[in-house]
Amino acid sequence: MNITLALSGGGVKGFAHIGALRILEEEGFSIRGVAGTSAGGLVGALYAAGYSPNEMEARLREIDQGNLFTRMHGDGPALLGLAGVIAILSELLGERTFTDLRVPLAITATDLKSGTPVVIKQGRVIDAVLATSAIPGVFPARHTDGQLLVDGGVMNPIPVAEARRLYPDGPVVAVVLSPPLGWQSEVYDASSENLPLLMTNLPLVYRLAGRLRLAQAFNLFIHSMDLTGLMLLEKQLELEQPEAIVRPKLGPIGIIDRVNIPELIKSGELAARNVLPELRKLDSWKFRLSRRFPGLFPNPKYST
């Protein structure tokens, strides 16, 4: 069965995408295109370049997480850099362009100069990945062709429409690394003291750690921005209606926290397995008919 993938961002949670890819391949789904944002763009680029989920896991399990986000000479204004990420991408992607990839790929970014979303489908793949990964204020923005590009998740957190354009004849499977709205109430109470620290690898967090009030204020800001992005993602899912959603249960993990990589990959595998019955229904006559006559069978996940 032919499908396309829309891979969301999520920082280090992006390792879960590898697990979802593995299960989809093992179950016989043919991935005809990938659209990715931020971490989803990175994993999608490696897959489109020809790396299997097993190869990705074998290489990425070896990385030194402590050296991923160091700064380089010439980096623009940002708390951290992507020196370690660039080294790995240079090794794995080299000078590949989008025309060298084995499956179509679309990577999203945001142009701060024009205030518009950008979809990248040409040029060097590594440049596109670094642009979509440039979390504003955390990693340096990328200057490209007169544009100032940052994280695609700022305006397009789950590129369903882009995935659908890559292969209009098949269903879109969205792999979403953010939890549903309201998940916080299941994890901790409303007290700011009980909010887990996100992005604890940021030097600023460590400097503020001795100043409890400032540290809590900074953490509240991070959580607030996270909620804003989550609201945008949910609205985009409702509007663009992927045919299936794979949503690993990952908990409160910061975008650059140190993580257990094999554990995240297994979470992606489990989430993909849980939606297999739903995915197999997409090969039915009902779905094929709905593609010819849009609106005949509304997507039940979004019907009122």
Side-chain angles (χ1 to χ4, degrees), residues 45-231:
L46 294 178
Y47 183 79
Y51 293 98
S52 70
N54 288 344
E55 289 171 330
M56 282 189 269
E57 179 176 9
R59 176 62 185 90
L60 296 178
R61 284 180 68 163
E62 299 173 355
I63 63 175
D64 179 359
Q65 295 185 52
N67 290 321
L68 282 178
F69 307 120
T70 54
R71 290 178 59 83
M72 301 172 61
H73 178 71
D75 277 347
L79 291 171
L80 298 176
L82 289 169
V85 175
I86 291 171
I88 294 170
L89 292 178
S90 297
E91 170 197 335
L92 297 177
L93 294 176
E95 294 297 313
R96 283 185 179 87
T97 67
F98 279 76
T99 57
D100 299 323
L101 301 176
R102 69 182 180 104
V103 297
L105 173 70
I107 290 179
T108 68
T110 304
D111 181 12
L112 291 182
K113 288 187 175 181
S114 65
T116 58
V118 175
V119 180
I120 307 173
K121 296 182 182 179
Q122 60 184 6
R124 291 203 316 164
V125 179
I126 188 172
D127 293 332
V129 172
L130 293 175
T132 195
S133 302
I135 300 168
V138 179
F139 302 127
R142 308 292 294 185
H143 295 266
T144 305
D145 297 329
Q147 298 173 312
L148 185 62
L149 300 181
V150 296
D151 193 337
V154 171
M155 300 188 76
N156 191 353
I158 180 69
V160 174
E162 284 66 37
R164 192 164 278 134
R165 291 187 189 101
L166 292 175
Y167 186 73
D169 295 331
V172 175
V173 178
V175 185
V176 180
L177 303 184
S178 299
L181 283 169
W183 68 275
Q184 289 88 349
S185 62
E186 300 177 4
V187 179
Y188 46 76
D189 61 33
S191 169
S192 62
E193 288 85 353
N194 291 329
L195 292 178
L197 279 174
L198 298 183
M199 298 199 295
T200 52
N201 282 354
L202 288 178
L204 178 60
V205 174
Y206 284 123
R207 288 201 296 269
L208 293 178
R211 305 176 185 178
L212 183 58
R213 198 171 294 175
L214 285 176
Q216 290 174 357
F218 183 70
N219 205 39
L220 286 170
F221 172 77
I222 294 172
H223 279 276
S224 298
M225 293 301 98
D226 195 44
L227 285 173
T228 300
L230 185 53
M231 177 66 76

Side-chain angles (χ1 to χ4, degrees), residues 229-256:
L230 185 53
M231 177 66 76
L232 175 60
L233 183 146
E234 293 295 338
K235 291 298 182 183
Q236 193 171 348
L237 287 173
E238 185 176 347
L239 176 66
E240 298 179 358
Q241 299 192 12
E243 280 70 32
I245 297 175
V246 176
R247 201 162 204 164
K249 294 183 178 180
L250 301 175
I253 299 173
I255 54 175
I256 59 170

Side-chain angles (χ1 to χ4, degrees), residues 10-26:
V12 293
K13 292 185 287 188
F15 292 109
H17 285 312
I18 298 173
L21 281 167
R22 174 180 288 147
I23 297 305
L24 292 172
E25 278 200 340
E26 289 179 354

